[in-house]
Amino acid sequence: MKKYSTAFIMLMMVAGAVSAAFAGEGATADAMARAIFYGGVAIGAGVAIGAAAGGGAAGLGNAIRGVLEGMARNPNMGGKLLTTMFIGMALIETFVLYGLLIAIIFLFTGIFDGKAGF
């Protein structure tokens, strides 16, 4: 729990520093709002790819564990189990790449900048 509170305090400090940096005389409220918005989009993209990578790693670990247990119980099925495991690993990795693709879309396309009616 302490780890999360420390991360939250650090996030608030960064947000305060960003707002203080944009609070100069030349900055407008629109520029501050856009900076905070794009900062939030960047944080959201990072969380999305982090969750996708974590889920993919857990899935791959579970798949490998299952195949090794199956091979230990019946060594004659090793070839078929490995083939199935590699197909499953490719599918799991595809889902992680989809998460990366969504994060890249969030960051670089600008579809959520308020101009498209969202």
Side-chain angles (χ1 to χ4, degrees), residues 22-34:
F22 282 104
E25 292 183 24
T28 63
D30 184 50
M32 281 183 36
R34 289 180 69 81

Side-chain angles (χ1 to χ4, degrees), residues 40-104:
V41 169
I43 291 171
V47 169
I49 190 61
L60 289 173
N62 197 13
I64 292 170
R65 180 190 55 85
V67 167
L68 289 177
E69 285 179 0
M71 287 173 63
R73 291 181 183 174
N74 190 358
N76 294 332
M77 292 293 293
K80 289 182 180 181
L81 289 174
L82 281 178
T83 303
T84 306
M85 181 190 72
F86 286 132
I87 292 171
M89 288 173 66
L91 292 174
I92 292 170
E93 198 63 34
T94 302
F95 291 135
V96 174
L97 291 175
Y98 285 152
L100 176 65
L101 178 67
I102 290 170
I104 288 172

Side-chain angles (χ1 to χ4, degrees), residues 8-50:
F8 180 73
I9 290 171
M10 290 178 64
L11 181 64
M12 289 298 113
M13 289 173 54
V14 169
V18 167
S19 63
F22 282 104
E25 292 183 24
T28 63
D30 184 50
M32 281 183 36
R34 289 180 69 81
I36 292 172
F37 174 77
Y38 285 121
V41 169
I43 291 171
V47 169
I49 190 61

